[in-house]
């Protein structure tokens, strides 16, 4: 992984709640203090709501850790049960001596007796119920009845409900209004703002042992804020993948393209793109672009110059992020142009060069992921594929000087000796040879270089290079090797390939190249 690359002693952005990484910013610290007070001094029921991934479970674990020693806790992780089952679950956690088939009234009486004894001994009991938005209404009513257990002056049982905003909708039901009236404290975890996200990122990095300069510039943080919508779990996923991409490029600078690659590789990016507001912003962008293009075309036609052709934003399969859409709308927003601006608008402006990317080679079943890469000359890919010539594996300085060419030559010999049923692992693909040269040096630190193979192919109608790993006689051995790959290589979503399929792909590529080459 990237730990040693960035000087870390542990993973900074794991999504598993770890109280060592609790971030007190974004109002999380004050909410925690208020919860401690409410549990130790308050009465009634306490409610905490927040979106999925906003940090409710982390807050729950911190609350359990911060409570005084005289407070006993019961943790219910799955409350999607019947009223009798929730009652028995609490009784079981408190070690109430009742039989499995005991009637409900007997369980309630035994539970009250245990609570009274603990109260007499100076102890308090609090029940934490996670995912409470999924509780049936009848079970919520049972929770209200449990809150009735009390002495003449104090409650015997304190209850804290953690749930998503749907919990508030459930509590608005008329038949549950008695429970709603028992809620004495209500807290909500709001999404983190961009400045808070920057503090959050650096806090977790420092906690994990990082001692270097700021890794996340403001522009990068704004991208993370837009894509994550301020939810800490999404921030963790994006930051972790961005560090992995930077590590694969052997750089210590997190750039916007690293964030874009991380977002594209995340499931929530598709849900963000489908939101109505995003569709509206994207549509407005295209509308403004069309109007601007029409005005420019009219002006050029008046001067006898050809009108510009529409330019597609993104490309096939492109997934615009919320940040990108806002930038497009901002860029294409119409304004009253000056005479000088109109003159500049009529001058042709060359488009910026597209950054090469590590892409998946063409494959009949599964394509490897896309990982952005910095611009670099593609010297090897510009050459037409020559007919394969047997070459010996170079050694010593020759292999070090150009590892890529050496592995391409070694792959030709390797493929010639393999049986059709042999398996290999397709690691990744790249359209840029220079970038791949550098990346092979990184891969060689994780796996044996002599087991790395590279061949030329075509992906998305562009010359590409595919990287393979290993040679396995049966599917089981190949699958086990795939499972045992280092995490840094699993990030590219490697897949199993057969040598027969690889050889067929190469033949199709060579045949297509020969038919498309002009004859003299």
């Amino acid at each position: 992984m990237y730990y040693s690359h960035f000087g870390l002693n542990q993973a900074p952005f794991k999504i598993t709640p770890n109280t060592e990484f609790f971030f007190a910013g974004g109002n999380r610290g004050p909410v925690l203090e208020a919860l401690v007070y409410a549990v130790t001094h308050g009465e009634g029921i306490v409610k905490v709501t927040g979106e999925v991934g906003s940090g409710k479970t982390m807050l729950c674990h911190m609350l359990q850790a911060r409570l005084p020693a005289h407070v006993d806790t019961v943790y219910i992780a799955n409350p999607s049960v019947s009223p009798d089952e929730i009652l028995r679950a609490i009784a079981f956690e408190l070690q109430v001596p009742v039989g499995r088939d005991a009637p409900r009234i007997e369980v309630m009486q035994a539970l009250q007796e245990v609570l009274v004894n603990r109260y007499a001994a100076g102890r308090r009991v609090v029940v934490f119920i996670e995912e409470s938005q999924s509780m049936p209404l009848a079970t919520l009513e049972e929770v209200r009845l449990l809150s009735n257990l009390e002495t003449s002056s104090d409650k015997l049982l304190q209850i804290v409900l953690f749930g998503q905003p749907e919990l508030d909708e459930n509590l608005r039901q008329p038949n549950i209004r008695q429970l709603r009236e028992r809620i004495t404290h209500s807290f909500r975890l709001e999404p983190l703002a961009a400045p808070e996200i920057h503090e959050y990122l650096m806090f977790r990095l420092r906690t994990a042992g990082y001692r270097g300069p700021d890794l996340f510039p403001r522009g990068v943080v704004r991208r993370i804020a837009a894509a994550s919508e301020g939810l800490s779990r999404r921030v963790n996923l994006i930051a972790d993948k961005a560090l992995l991409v930077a590590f694969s490029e052997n750089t210590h600078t997190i750039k916007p393209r690293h964030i874009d690659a991380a977002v594209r590789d995340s499931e929530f990016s598709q849900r963000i793109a489908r939101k109505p507001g995003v569709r509206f912003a994207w549509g407005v962008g295209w509308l403004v672009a069309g109007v601007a293009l029409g005005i420019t075309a009219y002006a050029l036609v008046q001067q006898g110059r050809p009108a510009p052709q529409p330019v597609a934003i993104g490309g096939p399969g492109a997934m615009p992020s919320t940040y990108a859409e806002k930038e497009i709308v901002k860029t294409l927003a119409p304004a009253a142009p000056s005479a000088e601006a109109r003159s500049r608008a009529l001058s042709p402006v060359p488009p910026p060069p597209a950054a090469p990317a590590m892409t998946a080679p063409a494959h009949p079943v599964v394509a490897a992921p896309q990982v952005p890469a910095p611009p670099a000359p593609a010297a090897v890919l510009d050459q037409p594929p020559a007919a394969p010539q047997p070459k010996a594996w170079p050694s010593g300085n020759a292999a070090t000087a150009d590892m890529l060419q050496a592995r391409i030559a070694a792959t030709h010999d390797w493929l010639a000796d393999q049986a059709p049923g042999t398996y290999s692992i397709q690691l990744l693909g790249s359209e840029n040879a220079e970038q791949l040269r550098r990346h092979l040096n990184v891969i060689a630190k994780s796996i044996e270089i002599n087991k790395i193979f590279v061949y030329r192919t075509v992906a998305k109608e562009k010359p590409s290079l595919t990287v393979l790993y290993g040679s396995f006689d049966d599917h089981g051995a190949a699958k086990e090797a795939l499972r045992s790959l280092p995490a840094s290589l699993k990030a590219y979503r490697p897949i199993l390939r057969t040598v027969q399929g690889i050889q067929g792909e190469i033949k199709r590529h060579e045949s297509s190249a020969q038919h498309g080459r002009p004859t003299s």
Side-chain angles (χ1 to χ4, degrees):
M1 290 294 287
Y2 54 75
Y3 301 161
S4 60
H5 183 74
F6 290 101
L8 304 169
N9 50 41
Q10 58 179 315
F13 297 113
K14 293 182 68 174
I15 61 175
T16 304
N18 181 352
T19 55
E20 184 180 354
F21 288 91
F22 176 72
F23 176 62
N27 206 38
R28 270 56 175 173
V31 169
L32 175 61
E33 296 299 330
L35 281 171
V36 173
Y37 176 84
V39 169
T40 54
H41 298 88
E43 295 182 349
I45 299 172
V46 178
K47 173 174 68 74
V48 181
T49 57
E51 278 292 349
V52 178
S54 60
K56 298 185 297 297
T57 302
M58 172 72 86
L59 189 65
C60 180
H61 289 187
M62 282 297 300
L63 180 56
Q64 294 182 70
R66 288 285 302 277
L67 289 175
H70 69 275
V71 177
D72 298 329
T73 61
V74 175
Y75 180 73
I76 306 295
N78 180 22
S80 302
V81 295
S82 67
D84 285 348
E85 289 172 327
I86 195 76
L87 178 63
R88 293 179 183 279
I90 295 173
F92 175 80
E93 292 292 332
L94 293 174
Q95 299 180 350
V96 177
V98 292
R100 291 184 177 181
D101 300 327
R104 177 185 176 281
I105 187 64
E106 182 179 335
V107 177
M108 181 68 80
Q109 290 175 346
L111 175 61
Q112 184 171 5
E113 182 179 351
V114 168
L115 292 175
V116 168
N117 292 337
R118 295 201 183 192
Y119 178 81
R123 307 194 65 80
R124 298 179 66 89
V125 179
V126 57
V127 177
F128 298 104
I129 303 179
E130 282 246 61
E131 303 295 340
S132 54
Q133 79 282 347
S134 62
M135 293 179 69
L137 294 184
T139 306
L140 278 172
E141 177 63 15
E142 184 70 21
V143 169
R144 182 188 70 82
L145 295 176
L146 287 173
S147 68
N148 288 336
L149 298 176
E150 56 190 13
T151 65
S152 58
S153 58
D154 292 299
K155 294 287 184 182
L156 293 175
L157 191 65
Q158 187 73 32
I159 298 171
V160 183
L161 302 175
F162 291 87
Q164 298 168 20
E166 291 80 1
L167 174 61
D168 293 327
E169 298 178 9
N170 293 341
L171 294 175
R172 294 191 192 102
Q173 300 294 325
N175 56 338
I176 207 72
R177 62 184 183 277
Q178 289 180 304
L179 172 62
R180 184 171 63 249
E181 294 297 326
R182 297 292 181 91
I183 297 176
T184 57
H185 299 276
S186 182
F187 305 94
R188 182 174 178 85
L189 296 184
E190 298 294 341
L192 299 175
E196 295 167 341
I197 289 177
H198 181 261
E199 296 175 8
Y200 175 82
L201 292 168
M202 293 312 300
F203 164 76
R204 293 192 70 114
L205 282 170
R206 300 296 184 197
T207 304
Y210 180 71
R211 296 296 178 264
D214 194 342
L215 284 177
F216 295 90
R218 290 184 179 180
V220 166
V221 173
R222 286 196 298 269
R223 248 179 170 85
I224 296 176
S228 67
E229 298 183 324
L231 301 177
S232 54
R233 183 181 299 164
R234 292 183 180 180
V235 172
N236 286 354
L237 291 171
I238 294 172
D240 178 69
K241 293 178 182 180
L243 290 179
L244 187 60
V245 176
F247 162 73
S248 70
E249 295 182 2
N250 197 29
T251 180
H252 291 83
T253 303
I254 306 300
K255 298 181 180 180
R257 69 170 183 272
H258 299 153
I259 304 303
D260 294 342
V263 172
R264 284 196 301 271
D265 191 54
S266 302
E267 289 293 329
F268 58 79
S269 65
Q270 299 181 4
R271 293 195 294 272
I272 292 174
R274 287 196 293 265
K275 287 190 174 181
V278 172
R279 290 197 296 268
F280 173 77
W282 195 243
V284 169
W286 279 112
L287 177 60
V288 176
V291 172
L293 184 63
I295 294 173
T296 305
Y298 176 78
L300 293 178
V301 168
Q302 295 300 314
Q303 294 187 356
R305 298 170 60 179
Q309 298 299 316
V311 179
I313 299 177
M319 183 63 67
S321 66
T322 304
Y323 173 85
E325 292 156 359
K326 290 180 179 178
E327 291 300 309
I328 289 172
V329 174
K330 185 195 308 179
T331 304
L332 298 178
S338 63
E340 181 183 355
R342 287 194 299 268
S343 175
R344 287 197 304 268
L346 298 178
S347 301
V349 179
M358 298 188 69
T359 60
H363 187 261
V365 180
V366 182
Q370 298 185 352
V371 180
V380 172
L381 298 182
D382 293 337
Q383 303 172 3
Q389 298 294 330
K391 295 183 180 180
W393 157 248
S395 59
N397 294 334
T400 306
D402 194 343
M403 186 184 298
L404 176 60
Q405 291 288 16
R407 296 320 302 157
I408 292 175
T411 302
H412 173 265
D413 296 339
W414 169 72
L415 286 172
D417 296 336
Q418 299 304 310
T422 305
Y423 286 86
S424 187
I425 300 174
Q426 178 179 299
L427 294 178
L428 51 91
S430 175
E431 296 173 2
N432 183 270
E434 191 62 33
Q435 193 275 339
L436 184 57
R437 280 192 181 92
R438 295 193 299 270
H439 196 64
L440 285 178
N441 291 324
V442 177
I443 295 177
K445 297 177 182 178
S446 304
I447 55 181
E448 187 179 346
I449 188 61
N450 286 338
K451 294 183 179 180
I452 296 175
F453 305 104
V454 183
Y455 67 91
R456 291 189 178 92
T457 185
V458 171
K460 297 180 181 178
E461 300 181 356
K462 294 181 180 179
S464 180
L465 291 164
T466 299
V467 181
L468 305 170
Y469 167 66
S471 179
F472 309 97
D473 294 334
D474 59 81
H475 184 270
K479 189 174 182 180
E480 176 63 24
L482 178 63
R483 188 190 64 81
S484 304
L485 281 176
S488 59
L489 297 180
K490 288 182 179 178
Y492 297 112
R493 296 182 180 178
I495 60 174
L496 296 183
R497 297 285 305 276
T498 63
V499 167
Q500 184 176 10
I502 295 168
Q503 291 170 337
E505 179 185 340
I506 294 174
K507 289 180 180 178
R508 289 192 300 272
H509 163 55
E510 292 175 350
S511 175
S512 175
Q514 290 174 358
H515 285 87
R517 187 178 301 133
T519 58
S520 56

